PDB file of all heavy atoms in Angstrom:
ATOM      1  N   LEU A 231     -52.660 -39.015  15.982  1.00 91.00           N
ATOM      2  CA  LEU A 231     -53.426 -38.464  14.852  1.00 91.00           C
ATOM      3  C   LEU A 231     -53.534 -39.480  13.750  1.00 91.00           C
ATOM      4  O   LEU A 231     -54.601 -39.633  13.136  1.00 91.00           O
ATOM      5  CB  LEU A 231     -52.737 -37.201  14.340  1.00 91.00           C
ATOM      6  CG  LEU A 231     -53.421 -36.526  13.137  1.00 91.00           C
ATOM      7  CD1 LEU A 231     -54.808 -36.035  13.498  1.00 91.00           C
ATOM      8  CD2 LEU A 231     -52.550 -35.396  12.606  1.00 91.00           C
ATOM      9  N   LYS A 232     -52.450 -40.208  13.469  1.00 88.00           N
ATOM     10  CA  LYS A 232     -52.470 -41.232  12.393  1.00 88.00           C
ATOM     11  C   LYS A 232     -53.546 -42.243  12.651  1.00 88.00           C
ATOM     12  O   LYS A 232     -54.291 -42.633  11.737  1.00 88.00           O
ATOM     13  CB  LYS A 232     -51.100 -41.886  12.329  1.00 88.00           C
ATOM     14  CG  LYS A 232     -51.017 -43.002  11.252  1.00 88.00           C
ATOM     15  CD  LYS A 232     -49.641 -43.631  11.214  1.00 88.00           C
ATOM     16  CE  LYS A 232     -49.588 -44.700  10.167  1.00 88.00           C
ATOM     17  NZ  LYS A 232     -48.213 -45.331  10.101  1.00 88.00           N
ATOM     18  N   GLU A 233     -53.671 -42.727  13.895  1.00 89.00           N
ATOM     19  CA  GLU A 233     -54.685 -43.722  14.216  1.00 89.00           C
ATOM     20  C   GLU A 233     -56.092 -43.208  13.935  1.00 89.00           C
ATOM     21  O   GLU A 233     -56.981 -43.989  13.511  1.00 89.00           O
ATOM     22  CB  GLU A 233     -54.585 -44.107  15.689  1.00 89.00           C
ATOM     23  CG  GLU A 233     -53.372 -44.945  16.038  1.00 89.00           C
ATOM     24  CD  GLU A 233     -53.373 -45.421  17.465  1.00 89.00           C
ATOM     25  OE1 GLU A 233     -54.418 -45.248  18.136  1.00 89.00           O
ATOM     26  OE2 GLU A 233     -52.380 -45.946  17.952  1.00 89.00           O
ATOM     27  N   LYS A 234     -56.307 -41.926  14.151  1.00 89.00           N
ATOM     28  CA  LYS A 234     -57.683 -41.372  14.008  1.00 89.00           C
ATOM     29  C   LYS A 234     -58.055 -40.990  12.605  1.00 89.00           C
ATOM     30  O   LYS A 234     -59.225 -40.929  12.256  1.00 89.00           O
ATOM     31  CB  LYS A 234     -57.826 -40.150  14.946  1.00 89.00           C
ATOM     32  CG  LYS A 234     -57.728 -40.546  16.428  1.00 89.00           C
ATOM     33  CD  LYS A 234     -58.086 -39.407  17.344  1.00 89.00           C
ATOM     34  CE  LYS A 234     -58.109 -39.848  18.790  1.00 89.00           C
ATOM     35  NZ  LYS A 234     -58.504 -38.792  19.726  1.00 89.00           N
ATOM     36  N   ILE A 235     -57.051 -40.664  11.742  1.00 90.00           N
ATOM     37  CA  ILE A 235     -57.391 -40.204  10.380  1.00 90.00           C
ATOM     38  C   ILE A 235     -57.111 -41.235   9.311  1.00 90.00           C
ATOM     39  O   ILE A 235     -57.494 -41.064   8.146  1.00 90.00           O
ATOM     40  CB  ILE A 235     -56.723 -38.884  10.042  1.00 90.00           C
ATOM     41  CG1 ILE A 235     -55.170 -39.056   9.933  1.00 90.00           C
ATOM     42  CG2 ILE A 235     -57.078 -37.792  11.015  1.00 90.00           C
ATOM     43  CD1 ILE A 235     -54.472 -37.812   9.401  1.00 90.00           C
ATOM     44  N   ALA A 236     -56.395 -42.327   9.662  1.00 85.00           N
ATOM     45  CA  ALA A 236     -55.985 -43.320   8.664  1.00 85.00           C
ATOM     46  C   ALA A 236     -57.199 -43.877   7.910  1.00 85.00           C
ATOM     47  O   ALA A 236     -57.145 -44.167   6.707  1.00 85.00           O
ATOM     48  CB  ALA A 236     -55.176 -44.443   9.300  1.00 85.00           C
ATOM     49  N   SER A 237     -58.316 -44.045   8.618  1.00 86.00           N
ATOM     50  CA  SER A 237     -59.494 -44.628   8.014  1.00 86.00           C
ATOM     51  C   SER A 237     -60.319 -43.595   7.221  1.00 86.00           C
ATOM     52  O   SER A 237     -61.315 -43.963   6.578  1.00 86.00           O
ATOM     53  CB  SER A 237     -60.396 -45.248   9.095  1.00 86.00           C
ATOM     54  OG  SER A 237     -60.844 -44.251   9.981  1.00 86.00           O
ATOM     55  N   LEU A 238     -59.919 -42.346   7.254  1.00 84.00           N
ATOM     56  CA  LEU A 238     -60.695 -41.276   6.592  1.00 84.00           C
ATOM     57  C   LEU A 238     -60.222 -41.011   5.177  1.00 84.00           C
ATOM     58  O   LEU A 238     -60.771 -40.173   4.495  1.00 84.00           O
ATOM     59  CB  LEU A 238     -60.604 -39.973   7.405  1.00 84.00           C
ATOM     60  CG  LEU A 238     -61.161 -40.037   8.819  1.00 84.00           C
ATOM     61  CD1 LEU A 238     -60.967 -38.671   9.498  1.00 84.00           C
ATOM     62  CD2 LEU A 238     -62.600 -40.426   8.820  1.00 84.00           C
ATOM     63  N   GLY A 239     -59.153 -41.702   4.753  1.00 80.00           N
ATOM     64  CA  GLY A 239     -58.655 -41.461   3.378  1.00 80.00           C
ATOM     65  C   GLY A 239     -57.592 -42.428   2.984  1.00 80.00           C
ATOM     66  O   GLY A 239     -57.421 -43.484   3.600  1.00 80.00           O
ATOM     67  N   THR A 240     -56.875 -42.075   1.932  1.00 77.00           N
ATOM     68  CA  THR A 240     -55.795 -42.902   1.377  1.00 77.00           C
ATOM     69  C   THR A 240     -54.550 -42.023   1.213  1.00 77.00           C
ATOM     70  O   THR A 240     -54.553 -40.873   1.436  1.00 77.00           O
ATOM     71  CB  THR A 240     -56.189 -43.491   0.029  1.00 77.00           C
ATOM     72  OG1 THR A 240     -56.454 -42.421  -0.889  1.00 77.00           O
ATOM     73  CG2 THR A 240     -57.452 -44.344   0.135  1.00 77.00           C
ATOM     74  N   SER A 241     -53.447 -42.724   0.822  1.00 70.00           N
ATOM     75  CA  SER A 241     -52.172 -42.049   0.550  1.00 70.00           C
ATOM     76  C   SER A 241     -51.724 -41.176   1.724  1.00 70.00           C
ATOM     77  O   SER A 241     -51.220 -40.087   1.532  1.00 70.00           O
ATOM     78  CB  SER A 241     -52.310 -41.160  -0.736  1.00 70.00           C
ATOM     79  OG  SER A 241     -52.634 -41.949  -1.825  1.00 70.00           O
ATOM     80  N   LEU A 242     -51.919 -41.713   2.926  1.00 76.00           N
ATOM     81  CA  LEU A 242     -51.490 -40.982   4.114  1.00 76.00           C
ATOM     82  C   LEU A 242     -49.977 -41.055   4.227  1.00 76.00           C
ATOM     83  O   LEU A 242     -49.386 -42.126   4.276  1.00 76.00           O
ATOM     84  CB  LEU A 242     -52.140 -41.596   5.371  1.00 76.00           C
ATOM     85  CG  LEU A 242     -51.693 -41.020   6.706  1.00 76.00           C
ATOM     86  CD1 LEU A 242     -52.036 -39.516   6.791  1.00 76.00           C
ATOM     87  CD2 LEU A 242     -52.375 -41.774   7.864  1.00 76.00           C
TER      88      LEU A 242
END
Side-chain angles (χ1 to χ4, degrees):
L231 178 64
K232 179 180 180 179
E233 288 186 10
K234 295 189 175 183
I235 67 173
S237 62
L238 300 179
T240 60
S241 300
L242 175 61

